[in-house]
Amino acid sequence: MHTDRDRFPFLTNTGKISEMKAQARETMRQVLAEMTAEEKQLESARLCEMLVQLIEEKEREARVGASAVMWPQLKVGTFSALLREPDLRALHDALPDVDWYYPLCRDEDQMSYYLVHDVDELERGSFGIMEPNAERHERVAAGQLDVILCPGFAFGRDGSRLGKGGGYYDRYLMGRAVHCELIGVGFACQVYDTVPVEKHDVRMNRVLEIPSS
Ligand SMILES: Nc1nc2c(c(=O)[nH]1)N(C=O)[C@@H](CNc1ccc(C(=O)N[C@@H](CCC(=O)O)C(=O)O)cc1)CN2
Ligand SMILES: Nc1ncnc2c1ncn2[C@@H]1O[C@H](COP(=O)(O)OP(=O)(O)OP(=O)(O)O)[C@@H](O)[C@H]1O
């Protein structure tokens, strides 16, 4: 059953989508600021459990018929949490066979992913985000990732995503492989039926939603 909660509630239609997106981001900053550290921790753990199930299922699919010499390892793009984002670090321990890649903003508009075995290898970089180091970590081509976990300010169940406003993800995701699954990962208060998007905004294949208890 859909309720008012499901409609993205904070918009006055100004006729300009870019203005509506800016307004929606501002509201989401306020909504997210109300979450306590404990709530964020609990929901992050829940999201990790959901992701473990999903990724294990993908691993099983990839391994049907695979041989021991060509044992497929999933390449998954993840992210380091900003203050208002879910903390996904627990995935490393829960899924040790996955190759984890983290984004690095290389200049004003380009982002690339690098292989990171241990979260302790990340260093504080642009925007205060914990990032890989281009000299120490191995870069992967955009078309090589099997799954990309995408952060954002808000997500729609229809796959729409409201990002942070840098355009990094949209530009990067244009180069993804056809089989690559894009998963929107946010807290429960970030998921609505739909959120405002422009033509260039890339749709998620799936948006995680913590079931309401
Ligand atoms: N974890 C993470 N890594 C990412 C992004 C992201 O959104 N999240 N980016 C996506 O493009 C790129 C960096 N771009 C960014 C653009 C804007 C803000 C920003 O406006 N920060 C918020 C604070 C958000 C928070 O704490 O959650 C703000 O000022 O309100 C941050 C990063 C690449 N790496
Ligand atoms: N594929 C693209 N090619 C060129 N410019 C783009 C592309 N995608 C986005 N941009 C530009 O980047 C800027 C920010 O876009 P937008 O507001 O959609 O970012 P966002 O999706 O919120 O950010 P992010 O994806 O980094 O979280 C806009 O000026 C937009 O025109």
Side-chain angles (χ1 to χ4, degrees), residues 25-26 29 32 78-85 103-105 111 126-127 129-131 151-153 161 163-170:
R25 283 191 192 101
E26 194 42 48
R29 275 193 194 98
L32 288 160
T78 181
F79 58 88
S80 312
L82 288 162
L83 200 63
R84 303 179 182 90
E85 291 175 343
L104 169 64
C105 295
M111 182 170 92
S126 41
F127 306 100
I129 300 173
M130 298 303 285
E131 290 184 325
F153 263 136
R161 166 180 173 273
K164 293 278 156 69
Y168 284 99
Y169 274 87
D170 295 320

Side-chain angles (χ1 to χ4, degrees), residues 21 25 151 161-171 174 198 200-201:
K21 281 169 71 173
R25 283 191 192 101
R161 166 180 173 273
L162 176 72
K164 293 278 156 69
Y168 284 99
Y169 274 87
D170 295 320
R171 274 185 296 267
M174 289 196 305
E198 293 168 276
H200 64 254
D201 284 312

Side-chain angles (χ1 to χ4, degrees), residues 145-157:
L145 293 174
D146 300 302
V147 179
I148 303 180
L149 308 179
C150 301
F153 263 136
F155 300 92
R157 298 182 180 97

Side-chain angles (χ1 to χ4, degrees), residues 161-198:
R161 166 180 173 273
L162 176 72
K164 293 278 156 69
Y168 284 99
Y169 274 87
D170 295 320
R171 274 185 296 267
Y172 183 82
L173 295 176
M174 289 196 305
R176 73 192 183 281
V178 182
H179 79 272
C180 178
E181 182 166 9
L182 307 181
I183 307 183
V185 186
F187 298 116
C189 64
Q190 294 179 277
V191 184
Y192 298 88
D193 274 348
T194 188
V195 300
V197 285
E198 293 168 276

